[in-house]
């Protein structure tokens, strides 16, 4: 493709768009998030938006779906200019968005969330709860989601919340559905069901916008690909006319960076050991979320934990980190010494750091700036005579901002205003600063763009080279095979297999993680 970065590419002979966004510019203090961007949504087609973290993908979609009403440029629906003041107005015109960072109300039930603001009413004008719960269950059934619809959203895991968010969009007649990284916490099965739902929607003429960092999803779903880079529109391409390498080159404006190659490091003593470690289920004390786990990880080693969604991976991490002390039994050893962990504070004191999967709830204070968030868990690094020393905090934050390329105008930018992927990098920085002996990483590259993923793999490798013991949970098999020295598979809370690097094959690891494999 002969393509100059200055002249955006547009597809020849395309159908008439249902939605046209023209010359959209969005400014935030200190940042131009979008700079004269054009975008099309076509009836019955999937237009995938790609771009590095902070490229402006979510901002553009938040404008089209009515979340942001102040911007320059025009949005046209069926050739008529629209200016939505909020998401309800957009929804009334048939435009619905599934957000990247979930937008649910935690203390409302599943059904109440799905129908929030659009509750079905009976003849007397009162909310028809029975119908609301029955209808909600019907939509959720399509995803084989069997939780009681009266359950509070706060009691659901991230993946389940994601399905509720999707159900919320599917509950109404829509012309346009915008999905911002919808599969980032879905299981393989749930993802397949979502793809079938998307195919059904397009066959009914619904226009889909699909934001993703996953190239295989783009290949499977997209009819068109729109590339954004640094807030600029680079081009719109027919999906079957552009290769994956070309897309990546257009995204980053240069050739793909070298792929990550793991180095071999000498292993030290056992940094973390679990002996007959178990955790009971919160709801049913006779059941186990983690059962009789025996494992170790040495200093300088990267241990991968692979299991399907719901296998007990996140629960294992939370148990080690002291989140559910009263439910746990068995022994934890750090550097050969038996320790008792009653709370996360004890875990941090003993050199264990956990980077959680759900960064919005567990990892960040969204109203605080990058510097404060990074120093939050290791305040002693930035104190002078007992007071917070801003220059030290700033120096530390700046070094991480550079190392992990956190896209922001300064380390005083509020974290809630960063793009999703850049928020994840702040969580990583925060825990790396605690100088842990053992680092527990739960899905560390969720929502991270292709280039930054490589940076994080290199960082994990570097940490291992500096004798840190790293345990990584990931649902991406190629990723976990690339970064681990050894992989353990878990299923229903039990260890079902162990592989050294010379035994890594996708087939063997996947097989060991499936429920039918267990005796
Ligand atoms: N509320 C806000 N206030 C200030 N700046 C913002 C705000 N929201 C987004 N930004 C900035 O706008 C730019 C684009 O962000 P956006 O969230 O659209 O990126 P993205 O392409 O969705 O990235 P990701 O892949 O990480 O989700 C970023 O530089 C971000 O920091
Ligand atoms: Mg985004």
């Amino acid at each position: 493709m002969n393509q100059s970065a200055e002249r955006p590419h547009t597809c020849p002979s395309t159908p008439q768009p249902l939605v046209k966004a023209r010359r959209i510019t969005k400014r935030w203090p200190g940042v131009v998030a979008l700079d004269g961007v054009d975008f099309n949504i076509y009836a019955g087609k999937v237009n995938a938006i790609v771009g590095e973290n902070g490229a402006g993908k979510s901002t553009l979609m938040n404008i089209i779906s009515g979340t942001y009403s102040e911007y320059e440029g025009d949005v046209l629906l069926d050739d008529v200019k629209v200016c939505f003041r909020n998401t309800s107005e957009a929804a009334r015109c048939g435009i619905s968005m599934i957000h990247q960072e979930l937008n649910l109300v935690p203390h409302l039930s599943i059904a109440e969330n799905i129908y929030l603001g659009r509750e079905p009413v009976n003849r007397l004008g009162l909310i028809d709860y029975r119908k609301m719960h029955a209808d909600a269950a019907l939509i959720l059934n399509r995803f084989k989601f069997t939780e009681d619809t009266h359950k509070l959203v706060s009691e659901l895991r991230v993946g389940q919340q994601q399905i509720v968010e999707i159900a919320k969009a599917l509950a109404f007649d829509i012309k346009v559905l915008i999905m911002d990284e919808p599969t980032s916490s879905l299981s393989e099965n749930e993802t397949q069901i979502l793809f079938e739902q998307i195919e059904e929607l397009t066959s009914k003429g619904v226009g889909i916008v699909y934001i993703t960092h996953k190239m295989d999803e783009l290949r499977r779903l997209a009819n068109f690909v729109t590339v954004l880079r640094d807030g600029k529109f680079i081009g719109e391409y027919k999906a079957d006319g552009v290769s994956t390498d070309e897309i990546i080159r257009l995204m980053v404006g240069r050739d793909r960076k070298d792929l990550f190659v793991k180095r071999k490091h000498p292993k030290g003593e056992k940094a973390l050991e679990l002996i007959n470690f178990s955790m009971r289920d919160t709801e049913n004390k006779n059941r186990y979320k983690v059962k009789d786990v025996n494992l170790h990880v040495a200093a300088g080693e990267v241990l991968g934990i692979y299991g399907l969604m719901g296998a007990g991976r996140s629960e294992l991490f939370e148990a080690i980190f002291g989140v559910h002390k009263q439910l746990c039994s068995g022994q934890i050893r750090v550097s050969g010494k038996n320790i008792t962990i009653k709370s996360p504070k004890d875990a941090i004191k003993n050199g264990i750091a956990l980077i959680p999967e759900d960064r919005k709830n567990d990892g960040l204070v969204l109203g605080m700036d990058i510097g404060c968030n990074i120093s939050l868990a290791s305040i002693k690094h930035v104190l002078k005579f007992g007071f917070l020393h801003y220059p030290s905090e700033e120096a530390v934050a700046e070094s991480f901002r550079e190392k992990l390329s956190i896209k922001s105008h300064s380390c005083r930018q509020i974290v809630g205003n960063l793009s999703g992927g850049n928020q994840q990098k702040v969580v990583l920085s925060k825990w790396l600063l605690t100088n842990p002996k053992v680092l527990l990483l739960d899905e560390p590259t969720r929502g991270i763009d292709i280039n930054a993923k490589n940076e994080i793999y290199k960082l994990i490798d570097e940490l291992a080279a500096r004798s840190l013991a790293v345990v990584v949970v990931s649902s991406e098999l190629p990723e976990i095979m690339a970064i681990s020295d050894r992989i353990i598979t878990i299923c229903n809370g039990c260890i079902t297999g162990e592989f050294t690097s010379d035994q890594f094959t996708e087939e063997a690891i996947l097989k060991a993680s499936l429920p039918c494999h267990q005796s």
Side-chain angles (χ1 to χ4, degrees):
M1 198 182 324
N2 190 6
Q3 166 74 43
S4 97
E6 281 70 38
R7 291 216 338 269
H9 174 280
T10 42
C11 293
S13 68
T14 47
Q16 267 308 306
L18 183 64
V19 174
K20 292 184 212 163
R22 292 294 174 262
R23 302 175 309 281
I24 304 289
T25 295
K26 173 77 189 169
R27 299 170 210 276
W28 297 110
V31 199
V32 181
L34 294 170
D35 185 2
V37 169
D38 286 356
F39 184 72
N40 298 313
I41 304 174
Y42 301 99
K45 304 278 180 218
V46 179
N47 192 347
I49 312 188
V50 293
E52 289 187 288
N53 295 131
K57 306 179 293 293
S58 299
T59 306
L60 180 61
M61 289 309 116
N62 279 321
I63 286 173
I64 294 179
S65 66
T67 309
Y68 302 147
S69 55
E70 283 182 20
Y71 55 87
E72 295 156 44
D74 297 327
V75 178
L76 297 101
L77 173 62
D78 286 326
D79 278 328
V80 178
K81 187 174 167 183
V82 286
C83 200
F84 302 127
R85 278 169 300 176
N86 49 51
T87 50
S88 313
E89 283 192 7
R92 253 176 267 134
C93 289
I95 299 180
S96 211
M97 173 160 172
I98 299 167
H99 287 267
Q100 177 176 19
E101 300 298 336
L102 305 175
N103 251 350
L104 301 170
V105 185
H107 58 270
L108 290 183
S109 72
I110 295 174
E112 283 167 327
N113 265 285
I114 293 177
Y115 288 96
L116 190 65
R118 300 179 282 184
E119 293 83 355
V121 287
N122 59 21
R123 275 179 299 148
L124 301 173
L126 301 172
I127 294 179
D128 187 344
Y129 282 101
R130 192 184 298 192
K131 179 170 168 42
M132 187 168 93
H133 283 278
D135 289 352
L138 265 179
I139 307 170
L140 292 167
N141 266 343
R142 295 195 221 158
F143 288 87
K144 304 196 171 57
F145 181 101
T146 50
E147 295 290 342
D148 181 352
T149 54
H150 293 84
K151 204 167 179 180
L152 297 186
V153 156
S154 58
E155 293 166 30
L156 302 178
R157 296 209 65 79
V158 193
Q160 295 176 311
Q161 292 186 9
Q162 184 98 42
I163 291 178
V164 175
E165 183 87 44
I166 294 168
K168 200 170 139 184
L170 296 181
F172 300 91
D173 272 341
I174 42 174
K175 278 188 189 165
V176 167
L177 181 58
I178 300 168
M179 302 189 203
D180 197 348
E181 298 184 46
T183 61
S184 56
S185 45
L186 293 190
S187 70
E188 187 55 35
N189 242 341
E190 291 161 349
T191 301
Q192 288 313 319
I193 298 172
L194 177 69
F195 290 174
E196 285 160 23
Q197 297 288 325
I198 291 176
E199 272 153 20
E200 203 181 312
L201 288 169
T202 49
S203 74
K204 290 183 188 151
V206 175
I208 307 273
V209 180
Y210 197 90
I211 301 181
T212 187
H213 291 294
K214 299 180 182 168
M215 291 297 146
D216 52 338
E217 292 187 354
L218 181 147
R219 286 286 155 216
R220 157 94 202 265
L221 292 171
N223 304 103
F224 295 93
V225 181
T226 297
V227 182
L228 297 187
R229 189 198 313 148
D230 290 333
K232 294 204 173 58
F233 172 70
I234 299 300
E236 178 189 86
Y237 307 86
K238 282 213 166 114
D240 51 16
V242 60
S243 73
T244 302
D245 274 348
E246 274 168 332
I247 295 172
I248 294 171
R249 190 172 52 76
L250 290 162
M251 266 167 60
V252 300
R254 55 187 181 278
D255 281 330
R256 194 174 180 162
K257 281 191 184 166
D258 295 340
L259 275 182
F260 167 73
V261 182
K262 189 170 166 48
R263 296 171 297 166
K264 284 254 175 248
H265 313 295
K267 309 280 174 288
E269 60 166 17
K270 285 179 186 169
L272 174 77
E273 268 177 284
L274 301 183
I275 297 143
N276 298 333
F277 191 71
S278 298
M279 181 176 103
R280 288 175 193 277
D281 191 337
T282 344
E283 280 163 22
N284 181 348
K285 300 266 158 46
N286 296 320
R287 286 215 315 250
Y288 286 87
K289 286 276 187 190
V290 173
K291 187 139 199 308
D292 289 330
V293 165
N294 288 289
L295 65 76
H296 69 269
V297 54
E301 185 179 31
V302 181
L303 173 69
I305 297 190
Y306 183 79
L308 302 179
M309 207 61 73
R313 311 163 312 175
S314 301
E315 287 84 354
L316 175 63
F317 274 7
E318 286 173 6
I320 299 172
F321 202 57
V323 179
H324 310 284
K325 174 61 199 145
Q326 68 292 357
L327 301 169
C328 295
S329 57
Q331 187 60 56
I332 302 182
R333 281 189 197 146
V334 170
S335 306
K337 265 194 252 137
N338 287 345
I339 59 162
T340 310
I341 296 180
K342 294 206 193 91
S343 67
K345 211 167 144 195
D346 286 345
I348 298 171
K349 222 166 44 198
N350 282 291
I352 301 174
L354 167 66
I355 301 187
E357 182 187 9
D358 182 4
R359 56 178 173 257
K360 196 168 178 181
N361 289 325
D362 302 331
L364 290 172
V365 185
L366 293 175
M368 279 165 54
D369 66 31
I370 299 175
C372 295
N373 268 283
I374 293 180
S375 58
L376 210 59
S378 41
I379 207 83
K380 63 178 187 301
H381 288 272
V382 291
L383 290 182
K384 213 167 193 179
F385 311 118
F387 292 101
L388 182 67
H389 187 238
Y390 273 97
S392 315
E393 188 191 74
E394 210 150 298
V396 164
E398 280 304 331
S399 80
F400 279 109
R401 219 162 69 86
E402 196 189 313
K403 229 186 314 188
L404 298 188
S405 5
I406 302 174
K407 189 165 185 261
S408 47
H409 54 75
S410 84
C411 68
R412 293 292 160 224
Q413 188 168 341
I414 301 296
V415 162
N417 296 342
L418 295 180
S419 78
N422 284 300
Q423 289 184 4
Q424 178 76 333
K425 294 181 195 172
V426 175
V427 182
L428 265 171
S429 310
K430 165 179 155 183
W431 289 107
L432 291 177
L433 184 62
T434 63
N435 232 344
K437 282 185 207 146
V438 180
L439 185 61
L440 309 176
L441 292 169
D442 197 352
E443 301 282 0
T445 64
R446 187 184 141 207
I448 299 240
D449 71 54
I450 278 196
N451 258 326
K453 261 187 181 178
N454 262 326
E455 290 305 310
I456 288 182
Y457 298 161
K458 280 188 210 151
L459 188 77
I460 292 173
D461 195 45
E462 215 177 275
L463 293 169
R466 283 195 255 138
S467 292
L468 197 81
V470 185
V471 190
V472 190
V473 159
S474 166
S475 1
E476 288 184 42
L477 258 178
E479 167 169 299
I480 205 154
M481 286 165 57
I483 59 180
S484 309
D485 294 295
R486 194 158 51 91
I487 293 176
I488 281 175
T489 53
I490 67 170
C491 180
N492 294 332
C494 301
I495 292 186
T496 54
E498 180 170 351
F499 303 83
T500 50
S501 57
D502 53 328
Q503 298 166 324
F504 288 177
T505 66
E506 289 202 20
E507 202 190 343
I509 296 170
L510 189 60
K511 203 167 149 203
S513 68
L514 295 175
C516 54
H517 175 78
Q518 286 187 81
S519 50

Short mmCIF file of all heavy atoms in Angstrom, two decimals, residues 411-433:
data_model
loop_
_atom_site.label_atom_id
_atom_site.label_comp_id
_atom_site.label_asym_id
_atom_site.label_seq_id
_atom_site.Cartn_x
_atom_site.Cartn_y
_atom_site.Cartn_z
N CYS A 411 2.92 14.08 34.93
CA CYS A 411 2.54 13.10 35.94
C CYS A 411 1.52 13.68 36.90
O CYS A 411 1.11 13.04 37.86
CB CYS A 411 3.76 12.56 36.67
SG CYS A 411 4.55 13.79 37.68
N ARG A 412 1.09 14.92 36.67
CA ARG A 412 0.02 15.51 37.49
C ARG A 412 -1.35 15.36 36.81
O ARG A 412 -2.34 15.92 37.28
CB ARG A 412 0.33 17.00 37.76
CG ARG A 412 1.55 17.19 38.65
CD ARG A 412 1.28 16.71 40.08
NE ARG A 412 2.52 16.45 40.80
CZ ARG A 412 2.74 15.38 41.56
NH1 ARG A 412 1.82 14.45 41.69
NH2 ARG A 412 3.88 15.22 42.18
N GLN A 413 -1.40 14.63 35.70
CA GLN A 413 -2.70 14.42 35.05
C GLN A 413 -3.54 13.43 35.88
O GLN A 413 -3.03 12.44 36.40
CB GLN A 413 -2.51 13.88 33.63
CG GLN A 413 -3.82 13.83 32.87
CD GLN A 413 -3.63 13.59 31.37
OE1 GLN A 413 -2.55 13.78 30.82
NE2 GLN A 413 -4.68 13.14 30.72
N ILE A 414 -4.83 13.73 36.01
CA ILE A 414 -5.75 12.88 36.78
C ILE A 414 -5.90 11.54 36.07
O ILE A 414 -6.12 11.48 34.86
CB ILE A 414 -7.13 13.58 36.90
CG1 ILE A 414 -6.98 14.94 37.60
CG2 ILE A 414 -8.15 12.72 37.62
CD1 ILE A 414 -6.50 14.89 39.03
N VAL A 415 -5.78 10.45 36.83
CA VAL A 415 -5.77 9.11 36.24
C VAL A 415 -7.09 8.78 35.55
O VAL A 415 -7.10 8.13 34.50
CB VAL A 415 -5.42 8.07 37.34
CG1 VAL A 415 -5.81 6.69 36.92
CG2 VAL A 415 -3.94 8.14 37.63
N GLY A 416 -8.21 9.29 36.11
CA GLY A 416 -9.51 9.04 35.50
C GLY A 416 -9.60 9.58 34.08
O GLY A 416 -10.46 9.17 33.31
N ASN A 417 -8.72 10.51 33.73
CA ASN A 417 -8.76 11.10 32.39
C ASN A 417 -7.82 10.39 31.40
O ASN A 417 -7.71 10.81 30.26
CB ASN A 417 -8.35 12.57 32.43
CG ASN A 417 -9.32 13.40 33.22
OD1 ASN A 417 -10.44 12.96 33.45
ND2 ASN A 417 -8.91 14.56 33.66
N LEU A 418 -7.13 9.37 31.86
CA LEU A 418 -6.24 8.65 30.94
C LEU A 418 -7.05 7.63 30.14
O LEU A 418 -8.11 7.19 30.58
CB LEU A 418 -5.16 7.90 31.71
CG LEU A 418 -4.16 8.73 32.49
CD1 LEU A 418 -3.17 7.80 33.18
CD2 LEU A 418 -3.41 9.67 31.56
N SER A 419 -6.50 7.20 29.01
CA SER A 419 -7.16 6.15 28.24
C SER A 419 -7.03 4.85 29.03
O SER A 419 -6.17 4.73 29.92
CB SER A 419 -6.52 6.02 26.87
OG SER A 419 -5.31 5.32 26.97
N GLY A 420 -7.90 3.87 28.70
CA GLY A 420 -7.93 2.61 29.45
C GLY A 420 -6.58 1.94 29.58
O GLY A 420 -6.15 1.53 30.67
N GLY A 421 -5.88 1.82 28.47
CA GLY A 421 -4.58 1.12 28.47
C GLY A 421 -3.55 1.86 29.31
O GLY A 421 -2.72 1.24 29.99
N ASN A 422 -3.61 3.18 29.28
CA ASN A 422 -2.64 3.96 30.06
C ASN A 422 -2.92 3.87 31.56
O ASN A 422 -2.01 3.93 32.37
CB ASN A 422 -2.60 5.40 29.55
CG ASN A 422 -1.84 5.49 28.24
OD1 ASN A 422 -0.66 5.14 28.19
ND2 ASN A 422 -2.51 5.89 27.18
N GLN A 423 -4.19 3.69 31.93
CA GLN A 423 -4.51 3.48 33.34
C GLN A 423 -3.86 2.19 33.83
O GLN A 423 -3.32 2.12 34.94
CB GLN A 423 -6.02 3.38 33.53
CG GLN A 423 -6.73 4.70 33.34
CD GLN A 423 -8.22 4.60 33.64
OE1 GLN A 423 -8.72 3.56 34.06
NE2 GLN A 423 -8.92 5.69 33.42
N GLN A 424 -3.89 1.17 32.98
CA GLN A 424 -3.30 -0.11 33.35
C GLN A 424 -1.79 0.04 33.61
O GLN A 424 -1.24 -0.56 34.52
CB GLN A 424 -3.55 -1.11 32.21
CG GLN A 424 -2.96 -2.48 32.40
CD GLN A 424 -3.77 -3.31 33.39
OE1 GLN A 424 -4.43 -2.78 34.27
NE2 GLN A 424 -3.69 -4.60 33.26
N LYS A 425 -1.15 0.90 32.82
CA LYS A 425 0.29 1.09 33.00
C LYS A 425 0.57 1.79 34.34
O LYS A 425 1.60 1.55 34.97
CB LYS A 425 0.85 1.92 31.85
CG LYS A 425 0.77 1.21 30.51
CD LYS A 425 1.37 2.07 29.42
CE LYS A 425 0.99 1.59 28.05
NZ LYS A 425 1.43 2.53 27.00
N VAL A 426 -0.36 2.67 34.78
CA VAL A 426 -0.17 3.34 36.08
C VAL A 426 -0.27 2.30 37.21
O VAL A 426 0.52 2.32 38.15
CB VAL A 426 -1.21 4.47 36.27
CG1 VAL A 426 -1.07 5.08 37.66
CG2 VAL A 426 -1.03 5.54 35.21
N VAL A 427 -1.21 1.36 37.09
CA VAL A 427 -1.34 0.31 38.13
C VAL A 427 -0.04 -0.47 38.21
O VAL A 427 0.48 -0.75 39.30
CB VAL A 427 -2.49 -0.66 37.82
CG1 VAL A 427 -2.64 -1.69 38.91
CG2 VAL A 427 -3.79 0.08 37.65
N LEU A 428 0.49 -0.83 37.05
CA LEU A 428 1.74 -1.59 37.03
C LEU A 428 2.86 -0.81 37.73
O LEU A 428 3.58 -1.36 38.57
CB LEU A 428 2.17 -1.83 35.58
CG LEU A 428 1.77 -3.12 34.94
CD1 LEU A 428 2.08 -3.11 33.46
CD2 LEU A 428 2.54 -4.28 35.59
N SER A 429 2.97 0.47 37.41
CA SER A 429 4.04 1.30 37.99
C SER A 429 3.91 1.34 39.51
O SER A 429 4.89 1.23 40.23
CB SER A 429 3.94 2.73 37.47
OG SER A 429 3.83 2.76 36.09
N LYS A 430 2.67 1.50 39.97
CA LYS A 430 2.42 1.63 41.41
C LYS A 430 2.99 0.43 42.17
O LYS A 430 3.66 0.58 43.18
CB LYS A 430 0.91 1.75 41.62
CG LYS A 430 0.44 1.53 43.02
CD LYS A 430 -1.07 1.72 43.10
CE LYS A 430 -1.66 0.94 44.25
NZ LYS A 430 -3.12 1.07 44.30
N TRP A 431 2.73 -0.76 41.64
CA TRP A 431 3.17 -1.95 42.38
C TRP A 431 4.64 -2.25 42.17
O TRP A 431 5.31 -2.80 43.05
CB TRP A 431 2.30 -3.14 42.02
CG TRP A 431 0.95 -2.95 42.61
CD1 TRP A 431 -0.20 -2.64 41.95
CD2 TRP A 431 0.61 -2.97 44.00
NE1 TRP A 431 -1.24 -2.47 42.82
CE2 TRP A 431 -0.77 -2.67 44.10
CE3 TRP A 431 1.33 -3.20 45.19
CZ2 TRP A 431 -1.44 -2.61 45.32
CZ3 TRP A 431 0.66 -3.14 46.41
CH2 TRP A 431 -0.70 -2.84 46.45
N LEU A 432 5.18 -1.85 41.03
CA LEU A 432 6.61 -2.07 40.82
C LEU A 432 7.43 -1.24 41.79
O LEU A 432 8.50 -1.64 42.24
CB LEU A 432 7.00 -1.73 39.38
CG LEU A 432 6.42 -2.70 38.37
CD1 LEU A 432 6.76 -2.30 36.96
CD2 LEU A 432 6.92 -4.12 38.65
N LEU A 433 6.89 -0.07 42.16
CA LEU A 433 7.61 0.80 43.08
C LEU A 433 7.68 0.22 44.50
O LEU A 433 8.55 0.58 45.27
CB LEU A 433 6.92 2.18 43.09
CG LEU A 433 7.60 3.26 43.93
CD1 LEU A 433 9.00 3.56 43.41
CD2 LEU A 433 6.77 4.53 43.96
#
